[in-house]
Structure formats: C-alpha cells, structure tokens
Amino acid sequence: MATKRLARQLGLVRSSARPRGAPAPAAGQRFSYVSVIDLEATCWRDAGCRRPETIEFPAVLLNTATGEVESEFHTYVQPQEHPILSEFCTDLTGITQNQVDEAVPLNICLSQFLKWIQKIQEEKKILFNSDIPSHSTSEAKLCTFVTWTDWDLGVCLHYECKRKQLRKPDILNSWIDLKATYRLFYNRKPKGLKGALQDLGIAFAGREHSGLDDSRNTARLAWRMICDGCVLKVTKSLAKLSNFFTSSLLLASEPGIQMRDELFK
C-alpha cells in the first residue's frame, strides 16, 4: 500500500476519478478559493523589439472545497502601443481586430477587474494576501491567484503597467505557478496545459489560447490536483523580491539595479 501511495505521489499511478457530485476534501488547503488568470497578448511571428500588450483578461474563481467555478470575469482589452493585431495573433488566439477595437484600454480593464474582486469579496467573505494584516480573518476565506507559468503576472502585466505608468493592483503581486506546482507534485514535466490535462486523462475543453478557455481548463487541472492530494501554495511574490532589491540598493545601487533587470527579463 505504501509503495502504491508513493507511486501516486510521483505521478506513476493515476488517481481514480471521483464520482460526480461526491465531496472532495480540502484538508490542508490554505486557500478556500483561487482565482485563475490566463492573459492573452499581442504577438507576432517575429516580435523583434515589440513588447506584448494584454488583449484578453479573464479570471475564474474556483472553490477549492467543491471544485465549482463560482464566478467569472472577462473582458477584451484594447492595445495602445501596437493597436493593429497581426494575422499570427488572430490565428493563434481567435481574437479579432473588431473585438479589440471595441474593447476598453488596460486602465479601465483593471478598474473593472477590481470592481469584480470587491463584489466577490463582499459576497463570499474572501480576503487576499495583501488584505490580511488590516482585517479580521475569523470568518474570512483566503484567496490567491493561479496562473500557468509566471509569464502572465510576472512579465506581461508587470512590465505593461510599468511602461504605461499604471498601478498594478497589489493583490496581483503574488500567485501560484501551477505548471511549476504540477511538475513538483507529479515529478514530471508537462507538455503545456493541454498535455498536463491529457496526462491525467482530462480532455481540454474549448479553444487553446482563448484566455477564458485556458483559465477554465487551468481551474479544472487545479481541482484535479487538489483531489489527488496537492496542497496549493504561493510560488511567486513580487513584493518579497521588491523588499530584497530595496535592501540590495542600500548596499550597492548599481549592482542592485543590474540584478533586478537580469531577474525580471
């Protein structure tokens, strides 16, 4: 029995699927909810020096005790630096020029997103990491964000907000990289999100590189991992890195700046 349990932990044995409707334990889970984000951005077959801008911003709220998606946020975003989508981008994402032309710019998108966050916080008594020190947590349910790799929040949105001089919401400064978590938990490297699902016997639903479909499928994968015994933990925090660099700059400003630039490339 112990050998079989070890094999399951290493990803060599698939856990049996739970009967539909059967409760799944959330024992040991720090977070009662996770909000899955998968951004889509401008892209080119040969990007050159052009930098990605967000063109689709979805978020899917997953209850880690039930596996239910309880709320969703979704909007397309109008790019400002390179407003004309490449044919490559449209073919990859399915997002059309008309959809982004009629969309809101990133600053309005972030404002709408924060209103959605406030709504679910009030309805479900949810707190994010940055809220904890100033609130009572007696009835609160903790929530954090989940992405597939660090690119969405650590690269794309992070640098776009810097270039456009926008304040990125503090709650988006820490998250769970589910790809890294998957690799550690199952002890194997996934071949993309679709491959990770297929390895667990789950078919990808919808269109790949649709931000909303990718977010939903990432939520499905997170739920399966929870059912298999994975405890989700934050893997990246820009706030901690910021504090580290502040200390480094006090000791040696130039090396600190170079180190920061190298880390965030």
Side-chain angles (χ1 to χ4, degrees):
M1 181 64 71
T3 302
K4 186 175 181 180
R5 182 165 55 251
L6 176 60
R8 179 175 290 111
Q9 290 173 348
L10 294 176
L12 301 177
V13 176
R14 289 180 179 174
S15 299
S16 359
R18 295 180 180 274
R20 181 173 296 179
Q29 294 296 331
R30 169 176 169 78
F31 299 104
S32 300
Y33 289 91
V34 292
S35 180
V36 182
I37 290 178
D38 192 290
L39 305 178
E40 297 301 325
T42 52
C43 53
W44 302 265
R45 192 173 299 278
D46 180 12
C49 61
R50 292 170 291 196
R51 299 178 180 181
E53 289 179 90
T54 304
I55 55 175
E56 184 183 6
F57 194 123
V60 170
L61 185 69
L62 175 72
N63 185 319
T64 63
T66 67
E68 295 296 320
V69 171
E70 296 189 3
S71 185
E72 291 183 345
F73 171 86
H74 180 261
T75 185
Y76 293 108
V77 185
Q78 185 181 94
Q80 307 288 303
E81 296 166 343
H82 300 283
I84 306 301
L85 299 184
S86 68
E87 183 178 348
F88 174 79
C89 184
T90 295
D91 289 344
L92 181 69
T93 66
I95 299 172
T96 67
Q97 187 65 47
N98 187 55
Q99 285 174 314
V100 296
D101 285 344
E102 295 180 353
V104 297
L106 182 60
N107 64 317
I108 302 299
C109 164
L110 291 175
S111 176
Q112 293 175 347
F113 173 71
L114 287 177
K115 288 180 180 178
W116 175 73
I117 289 292
Q118 184 179 16
K119 181 173 181 286
I120 62 173
Q121 282 182 308
E122 292 173 353
E123 291 178 351
K124 304 178 187 300
K125 296 182 178 178
I126 289 175
L127 287 181
F128 289 85
N129 285 351
S130 60
D131 297 324
I132 294 173
S134 58
H135 292 77
S136 168
T137 59
S138 58
E139 297 182 6
K141 300 170 185 176
L142 296 184
C143 181
T144 193
F145 294 95
V146 168
T147 59
W148 181 256
T149 80
D150 291 331
W151 180 85
D152 301 81
L153 299 180
V155 177
C156 182
L157 188 63
H158 181 75
Y159 284 111
E160 186 177 357
C161 286
K162 280 183 174 294
R163 292 196 311 272
K164 297 180 177 179
Q165 298 183 331
L166 300 176
R167 171 72 182 272
K168 186 177 73 171
D170 290 340
I171 56 174
L172 295 176
N173 278 333
S174 62
W175 62 88
I176 297 168
D177 175 354
L178 199 67
K179 181 179 180 180
T181 303
Y182 178 101
R183 185 172 184 172
L184 288 173
F185 182 69
Y186 293 113
N187 195 32
R188 59 174 177 251
K189 184 178 180 179
K191 295 181 179 179
L193 175 58
K194 185 176 182 179
L197 288 163
Q198 288 177 340
D199 285 346
L200 297 173
I202 305 171
F204 187 96
R207 178 193 174 107
E208 286 187 87
H209 302 296
S210 155
L212 185 56
D213 286 345
D214 283 351
S215 297
R216 289 168 174 168
N217 280 283
T218 303
R220 294 169 67 212
L221 178 60
W223 172 240
R224 172 57 186 269
M225 291 172 65
I226 290 169
C227 291
D228 282 354
C230 180
V231 176
L232 299 180
K233 299 178 181 179
V234 169
T235 60
K236 183 71 75 172
S237 175
L238 295 183
K240 290 180 180 178
L241 290 172
S242 176
N243 290 337
F244 169 75
F245 287 127
T246 299
S247 300
S248 299
L249 288 169
L250 290 175
L251 295 174
S253 59
E254 286 304 317
I257 292 171
Q258 292 172 359
M259 185 163 40
R260 177 187 60 193
D261 292 341
E262 286 298 318
L263 183 58
F264 283 126
K265 278 183 179 177

